[in-house]
Structure formats: C-alpha cells, structure tokens
Amino acid sequence: MTNTAHGDLLLKNINAQAPFPISFADLEQAAAQKLAAGPFGYIRSGAGGEQTLRNNRAAFERYSIVPRFLTDVSNIDTSIELFGKTYPTPLLFAPVGMNGMAHDEGELAVVGAAHHLRIPYIQSTVSTCSLEEVAQAAPDATKWFQLYWSTNEEIAYSMAARAEAAGFEAIVLTVDTVMLGWREEDVRNQFSPLKLGYAKGNYINDPVFMATLPDDSFESYVKGVLQNIFHPTLSWENIRELKRRTNLPILLKGILHPEDAKQAIANGVDGIIVSNHGGRQLDGVVGSLDALPAIVEAVNGQVPIILDSGVYRGMDALKALALGADAVAIGRPFVYGLALAGQQGVEKVMTNLYDELKVSIALAGATSVKALRNITLVKQDGTERK
C-alpha cells in the first residue's frame, strides 16, 4: 500500500541535482550519445520498415482514460500476485539479451536493481553473464529464465534444468524467434552482437552445448550458437515435453492470437506474455496492446497474462492493466538506463515509471491495480472498454 497524501511524487524529482533523463525520448537521446552506433542501433531498432515498432506506440495512443473523481485515493495498492508470491508493483523486467553491450556489468547490474526494487527479473538465454552468475549475484531476487529453443533440443532442456537448479522460479519460452527478424539497422551498421560474443554467458557454461563443439575456440562457439539459436521446428509437442521435464511454471512469450492462447492453456502452459518482441521480429504485426483484449477474453482468468512490447511510460502500464493484463514487462527503457548509469540508472528508470503509474492510478480514480479493471477507456473510434 502506497500513501499518496504525504509528499508529492513529482516534486521529489525537482531538486538541485542534475536531472536524470525522465521521458523515453530523452533516455533514448542520451543513450545514443553514450553508446556506439552498432549497440545503440541494435537496442533501438525494429524489424524491416519498423511498422511493428510504430504499431506498438500507436496502440497506446488509441486509448484514452475516462477518470472518475470524488474517491478517496490517499492509499494506493499497487501490489500484484504471480505464482503464489506478492510483489509491490505490477512491473517486471522483460528479457533483453546481451546487456554487456550497454554496460560492463551487464545482467548483474540489472538483477541488482531488480533485487533492490523487488521486481521480478527475466533473464535472457542470450545473456553476457551466465544464469549461475546472475543467481549468485542476487540469490534472493525473483528470477525467471527466458528460454530460446535450440535446434538441438537437448540444449534447451539442459538450460531449463540449470535454471531450475540455480533457483529460478519460472521458464519463459519465447515462441516468435523461429528465425531472426529482418533487421536493416544491424545490416547498415554491420553489427552482430552474437558474432561478437555478447551472448556467450549461458552457452559456454552449458555442458550439452559445449559437447557439440569440435573445440573450445571462439569461432566454434559462435558457429555453434548460430546453428542452434533458431528453431523453425518448435511445436506444441516440444512444449509438452518441456512441461514434463521441469517443475517450474512455463509461460509462453510472443502470443498475439487468442487461439494460440487457448492452445497454450490446453497444453498446460501456466502463463501468457502478449508480445511482438518489441517490434524486432516480424514487421507489420499488430501492436501488443491491440492484441491484449481478445487474449484476455480467451484466457478468462485461467492463467496470468503479462503485456510486453512498447511500454515506455507509467501511463502505458496503466492502460495495459486496465485492459486486463496482470502485469507489465519493461524492456528498452531500462536498457537505456543501464547504458547511462549501470544499476543506478536502471533503478532510476524503473522508479520513475512506477511513480508515474502510482500518480496515474490515483488521478484515474482507482485505488488498486485490480480496481483499474473498472476504469473506462475510450478508443479513437468512440467505442468503450472497461
């Protein structure tokens, strides 16, 4: 429970100190000045002509809040429950790979921020640091492991088993990367972080993966990753087998169609992450927020639903929660904060997002995350959703 009567969340950010970039546009501009063109372009860009990237933002712009007033909003409950644990905010760290591009401390800085803020952290398969290193750095943080399937499926099962052994609490299987999206910015910059070794943390520490290499050279490692990271044969049977091999809850990340959500539940999946990979995979795809309402209706409360992709502000999170998401994952904003100031920058970005969300919940006339479901949203076409 957050008390909003004592002190103003805006005024606390207006002081004599040099201001940390607060809006997404300012964060992005500062990161562009800090990072080399290759890493910055990789983080910023979307696939193809970047229509999906634009669709994500346009989806949030299509919804407007109809606030209610004369409700006591002096105490706001922003807590949520996921898989039997309660968290103080509805925010999560989305899985973002190769954090070593942005800052030398990479994923260790991010999980440190997650631990301090009590926000669940989802670690990417393609991390600069291994999942064991992340677990050791923040043993008490809530950590989930994002799994990319492998052409050699035993590598995928091995990584899932390692995550469970290291104390991770869920497996997030990404389903929209059967091959790499058409990313023109990376071609323009002639930049591949995979080829530069930024994704090595989990692979070089995996015994099944390493056993497939002819030697321990860097060239063999890169070739091995590129041979295994894409998985055009991934099917529902693989998901059922993963379910048999782990005791952890499994969430599918990349669901955009309500029929896929129904199939996921039928196959025993424990959670859905509505995501278009931040606009980085298939171009011309529906914005994640536009896909959310139909999936919420199809799932009908059977499993948690998390909204990912294009969430740049606290108000974006509010709209997703009002449309039925149980939690919201943040990606690019925290990576920019990481680039600017390491763990401190990550914490500042996430705190600003959370503070905007708290203020916005109160100003909308709600007193909790659950109460946001009763807030009216109007679309540009004049239709209302509750």
Side-chain angles (χ1 to χ4, degrees):
M1 191 73 77
T2 300
N3 189 294
T4 57
H6 305 294
D8 187 287
L9 294 173
L10 174 64
L11 294 180
K12 80 171 190 178
N13 283 285
I14 300 175
N15 52 50
Q17 299 176 357
F20 189 85
I22 192 165
S23 73
F24 181 78
D26 288 346
L27 277 169
E28 192 163 77
Q29 183 180 21
Q33 296 171 353
K34 179 93 171 184
L35 295 169
F40 175 74
Y42 181 88
I43 296 163
R44 183 215 63 80
S45 64
E50 300 188 338
Q51 181 188 341
T52 306
L53 201 64
R54 295 190 297 273
N55 284 351
N56 279 335
R57 295 306 308 151
F60 287 102
E61 295 290 336
R62 269 191 284 276
Y63 287 94
S64 299
I65 305 294
V66 182
R68 298 296 302 272
F69 300 115
L70 299 175
T71 299
D72 183 354
V73 292
S74 58
N75 289 291
I76 304 296
D77 184 3
T78 61
S79 67
I80 61 166
E81 183 178 311
L82 291 172
F83 304 117
K85 292 183 70 172
T86 300
Y87 302 100
T89 87
L91 305 178
L92 289 80
F93 284 94
V96 178
M98 300 177 279
N99 290 171
M101 286 188 299
H103 192 276
D104 288 344
E105 294 181 3
E107 291 81 14
L108 302 185
V110 184
V111 77
H115 179 233
H116 183 245
L117 298 173
R118 298 172 58 202
I119 294 176
Y121 169 69
I122 309 176
Q123 182 180 353
S124 172
T125 293
V126 289
S127 293
T128 307
C129 302
S130 71
L131 62 90
E132 289 86 0
E133 290 173 314
V134 166
Q136 185 177 12
D140 296 327
T142 295
K143 300 173 292 293
W144 299 356
F145 183 67
Q146 176 272 326
L147 178 64
Y148 281 128
W149 205 248
S150 290
T151 303
N152 178 349
E153 63 186 41
E154 292 303 322
I155 296 173
Y157 296 133
S158 175
M159 288 199 181
R162 286 169 55 208
E164 186 169 357
F168 285 69
E169 298 176 30
I171 301 294
V172 175
L173 177 62
T174 296
V175 298
D176 60 8
T177 51
V178 294
M179 57 189 67
L180 195 64
W182 185 255
R183 301 177 186 174
E184 295 177 1
E185 184 76 0
D186 295 339
V187 177
R188 184 179 300 114
N189 291 325
Q190 289 293 285
F191 182 77
S192 170
L194 286 173
K195 289 186 175 181
L196 293 173
Y198 283 112
K200 68 182 181 180
N202 285 316
Y203 285 98
I204 64 171
N205 287 280
D206 192 89
V208 177
F209 171 78
M210 293 302 292
T212 66
L213 304 185
D215 55 57
D216 61 359
S217 68
F218 182 78
E219 292 74 17
S220 291
Y221 148 74
V222 170
K223 185 176 180 181
V225 171
L226 294 176
Q227 286 176 340
N228 278 285
I229 196 170
F230 309 121
H231 40 80
T233 62
L234 180 63
S235 69
W236 291 109
E237 175 53 38
N238 297 125
I239 290 166
R240 289 191 291 270
E241 180 62 21
L242 179 62
K243 186 79 177 173
R244 289 189 284 266
R245 294 204 189 195
T246 183
N247 295 310
L248 299 179
I250 296 172
L251 299 90
L252 296 190
K253 178 177 179 288
I255 299 296
L256 293 169
H257 198 291
E259 291 303 316
D260 285 339
K262 292 178 182 177
Q263 275 278 84
I265 293 172
N267 282 279
V269 168
D270 303 287
I272 301 292
I273 301 183
V274 179
S275 170
N276 56 34
H277 215 101
R280 295 174 54 73
Q281 278 299 99
L282 178 62
D283 199 21
V285 167
V286 61
S288 59
L289 191 75
D290 281 336
L292 177 64
I295 292 177
V296 169
E297 183 176 356
V299 169
N300 194 28
Q302 296 175 81
V303 299
I305 296 174
I306 297 166
L307 189 282
D308 169 81
S309 300
V311 183
Y312 295 167
R313 308 195 61 96
M315 177 53 77
D316 298 339
L318 183 150
K319 291 177 182 179
L321 295 165
L323 288 173
D326 296 289
V328 178
I330 309 299
R332 285 184 181 89
F334 89 73
V335 182
Y336 290 150
L338 175 66
L340 295 177
Q343 179 175 334
Q344 184 179 10
V346 174
E347 292 182 9
K348 184 63 175 174
V349 167
M350 297 298 280
T351 299
N352 284 340
L353 284 166
Y354 176 53
D355 284 350
E356 183 189 4
L357 173 61
K358 285 188 293 185
V359 168
S360 300
I361 291 173
L363 291 175
T367 57
S368 69
V369 170
K370 289 183 179 179
L372 286 173
R373 302 283 179 94
N374 299 320
I375 294 295
T376 299
L377 287 83
V378 177
K379 291 187 73 174
Q380 279 184 346
D381 61 8
T383 59
E384 290 188 1
R385 299 196 69 97
K386 289 223 178 181

